[in-house]
Amino acid sequence: MNKKPSIFKRFKQIYSENPSIFWAIVWVSLMPSIGSLIVLQWFYSKGNDFILFDLEHPLSLVLYITGSTLLMGFALLPTTFLSVLSGFMFGWSSLPYLIVGYTLASIIGYSLGTKMGHNSLEILLQQYPKAADLIRHKRKRMGWLVAFVRLSPVIPFALSNILFALLKAGLKNVIWAGLWGMLPRTILAFFTGIVADSLYQALKRKEENWQLLLIGLLFLLSAWGIYRFFTNGSSSAYRKSS
């Protein structure tokens, strides 16, 4: 009886055949935190310059949308950090423009992940036909998975873009379902920035009890949705693959 290769060996095979996806995962795991520290230090030394940054001015608006798109799309800053910063600096007026920014960022992240991912997921699942069949069986319902993953307060935006690319979730699902999944956590982060007396206080995220409760509910709803996505109807998929 042949022994199945370990997950470690599968990842090693993926790295040998497609090292770009490995380094992409490393990048999206580390760079947003590094970027946050850099921007935070810069903000405290140059933050007063933002007083002249008026989003009602067309050029400022274009710069804001372009900047937020590139910062999130290339995983230079996490969405939560940028949401808190935007809420603190510009208030609710910047929310629609940030939504435009992270929608465009989703397109960038998903497109890059698709180009780098190639057949990495297929390699990982070669010895797990039931799991591969389950994913194929759920292909038409990927929008639900995208929405619930985006809803989670603990799954990073940039990392989820790579996950969606590997799963071939579809750009339409990433844009539309991802939009509705991101809204609750984005609005909560915005509100945190708006009510804070300082950016430091906002980023410490010492929420009121109702905010902590809401974060917990978002996490539980996301976990329930992801669980239901993979378990609902999975038995029939398993029977077909047996």
Side-chain angles (χ1 to χ4, degrees), residues 39-226:
V39 170
L40 195 57
Q41 288 185 341
W42 179 87
F43 179 85
Y44 281 122
S45 62
K46 303 288 186 180
N48 290 333
D49 294 344
F50 275 101
I51 295 176
L52 301 177
F53 198 83
D54 185 3
L55 291 184
E56 293 183 1
H57 191 282
L59 179 59
S60 297
L61 182 57
V62 170
L63 288 174
Y64 175 83
I65 293 176
T66 303
S68 62
T69 297
L70 296 177
L71 289 171
M72 291 184 289
F74 290 98
L76 298 174
L77 282 180
T79 55
T80 300
F81 178 91
L82 199 55
S83 298
V84 173
L85 180 62
S86 297
F88 177 74
M89 292 302 304
F90 309 117
W92 290 112
S93 63
S94 61
L95 178 59
Y97 309 124
L98 182 64
I99 292 174
V100 172
Y102 73 58
T103 299
L104 296 175
S106 296
I107 297 174
I108 292 176
Y110 181 79
S111 299
L112 290 175
T114 300
K115 289 182 178 180
M116 291 185 292
H118 302 303
N119 63 336
S120 298
L121 186 65
E122 286 78 4
I123 294 173
L124 184 63
L125 297 179
Q126 278 178 355
Q127 299 297 324
Y128 305 94
K130 290 185 177 181
D133 286 344
L134 176 61
I135 291 175
R136 284 193 292 269
H137 179 69
K138 299 290 186 178
R139 188 73 66 193
K140 293 182 179 179
R141 301 185 66 245
M142 281 292 174
W144 288 100
L145 178 63
V146 171
F148 283 117
V149 169
R150 286 287 200 232
L151 188 65
S152 173
V154 299
I155 301 178
F157 173 82
L159 184 60
S160 65
N161 283 331
I162 294 180
L163 171 64
F164 299 149
L166 292 176
L167 290 172
K168 297 180 175 61
L171 184 57
K172 182 179 179 181
N173 288 328
V174 172
I175 294 173
W176 182 244
L179 169 65
W180 295 107
M182 281 289 291
L183 275 177
R185 51 191 278 195
T186 300
I187 292 175
L188 180 61
F190 247 83
F191 183 79
T192 301
I194 289 174
V195 301
D197 295 327
S198 68
L199 183 61
Y200 175 74
Q201 177 187 336
L203 294 174
K204 284 176 66 178
R205 295 188 62 79
K206 288 187 175 180
E207 292 91 353
E208 300 292 338
N209 290 336
W210 68 269
Q211 290 176 282
L212 294 173
L213 177 61
L214 182 55
I215 291 174
L217 289 175
L218 290 178
F219 174 78
L220 291 175
L221 181 59
S222 172
W224 173 84
I226 295 171

Side-chain angles (χ1 to χ4, degrees), residues 220-234:
L220 291 175
L221 181 59
S222 172
W224 173 84
I226 295 171
Y227 172 79
R228 288 285 294 173
F229 175 85
F230 284 108
T231 58
N232 188 23
S234 61

Side-chain angles (χ1 to χ4, degrees), residues 130 133 233-242:
K130 290 185 177 181
D133 286 344
S234 61
S235 58
S236 60
Y238 285 170
R239 286 195 297 269
K240 290 179 182 179
S241 63
S242 299

